[in-house]
């Protein structure tokens, strides 16, 4: 079917087998994480220039953190497992550099977001409730 219709596998799975978008995204994230592994943000120095590529709302909404530019010019970006698919879509439509995503532990990522994109109005309780809504 994919050869005949030239459609992505996920689209065909939705149409032909009623597979949910959430299931497709989850499978893709699992595969991506197995391929790239999880990043430890403590191992990196955050390049302040890259932080200007996102505003606070974008960083928190998509749970992503620009880390720095790689030797070939790609932007290394950390994202949470839960928001990776949405972060990829956002970046593809909004940012100019090629972005290479790595999955970060959600708790560690939020600590770094607090440090680099402070939003004092975001309490731990508010973040916990927001995470429950997304799930």
């Amino acid at each position: 079917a994919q050869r005949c219709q030239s459609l992505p596998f996920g689209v065909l799975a939705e149409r032909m087998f009623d597979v949910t978008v959430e299931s497709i995204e989850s499978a893709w994230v699992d595969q991506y994480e197995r391929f790239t592994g999880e990043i430890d943000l403590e191992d990196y120095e955050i390049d302040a220039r890259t932080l200007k590529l996102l505003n606070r709302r974008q960083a928190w909404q998509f749970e992503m953190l620009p880390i720095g530019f790689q030797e070939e010019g790609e932007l290394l970006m950390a994202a949470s497992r839960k928001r990776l698919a949405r972060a990829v879509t956002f970046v593809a439509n909004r940012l100019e550099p090629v972005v290479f995503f790595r999955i970060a532990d959600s708790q560690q990522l939020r600590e770094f977001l607090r440090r680099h994109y402070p939003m004092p109005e975001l309490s731990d309780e508010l973040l916990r409730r927001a995470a429950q809504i997304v799930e």
Side-chain angles (χ1 to χ4, degrees), residues 85-124:
R86 289 175 182 86
V88 168
T89 300
F90 171 80
V91 164
N93 293 313
R94 299 292 176 116
L95 290 184
E96 196 58 38
V98 172
V99 176
F100 180 64
F101 278 95
R102 295 288 303 278
I103 296 173
D105 173 75
S106 291
Q107 189 65 33
Q108 184 185 50
L109 181 57
R110 287 179 181 156
E111 290 171 17
F112 273 72
L113 288 174
R114 282 187 184 104
R115 190 179 314 159
H116 297 288
Y117 293 101
M119 291 185 77
E121 61 274 17
L122 281 180
S123 67
D124 287 334

Side-chain angles (χ1 to χ4, degrees), residues 7-133:
L7 292 171
F9 175 79
V11 172
L12 291 171
E14 279 182 84
R15 290 181 183 174
M16 296 172 67
F17 305 108
D18 293 325
V19 176
T20 65
V21 173
E22 293 79 16
S23 294
I24 294 166
E25 282 182 2
S26 179
W28 175 77
V29 171
D30 286 344
Q31 183 180 35
Y32 192 85
E33 187 172 28
R34 280 193 304 276
F35 178 71
T36 63
E38 188 174 276
I39 191 170
D40 183 351
L41 296 174
E42 294 293 344
D43 293 341
Y44 292 85
E45 184 174 328
I46 307 301
D47 183 342
R49 295 172 300 161
T50 64
L51 295 173
K52 296 175 184 173
L53 296 171
L54 301 177
N55 62 41
R56 287 185 307 168
R57 183 193 57 77
Q58 293 164 337
W60 281 97
Q61 179 179 354
F62 298 102
E63 283 189 359
M64 58 184 181
L65 175 73
I67 296 171
F69 288 102
Q70 303 293 289
E71 289 181 20
E72 286 83 36
E74 301 98 346
L75 175 62
L76 179 60
M77 179 93 68
S80 71
R81 187 177 202 298
K82 288 182 182 176
R83 303 272 176 84
L84 179 63
R86 289 175 182 86
V88 168
T89 300
F90 171 80
V91 164
N93 293 313
R94 299 292 176 116
L95 290 184
E96 196 58 38
V98 172
V99 176
F100 180 64
F101 278 95
R102 295 288 303 278
I103 296 173
D105 173 75
S106 291
Q107 189 65 33
Q108 184 185 50
L109 181 57
R110 287 179 181 156
E111 290 171 17
F112 273 72
L113 288 174
R114 282 187 184 104
R115 190 179 314 159
H116 297 288
Y117 293 101
M119 291 185 77
E121 61 274 17
L122 281 180
S123 67
D124 287 334
E125 173 62 20
L126 185 60
L127 287 173
R128 186 185 63 71
R129 289 192 345 233
Q132 288 175 337
I133 292 170

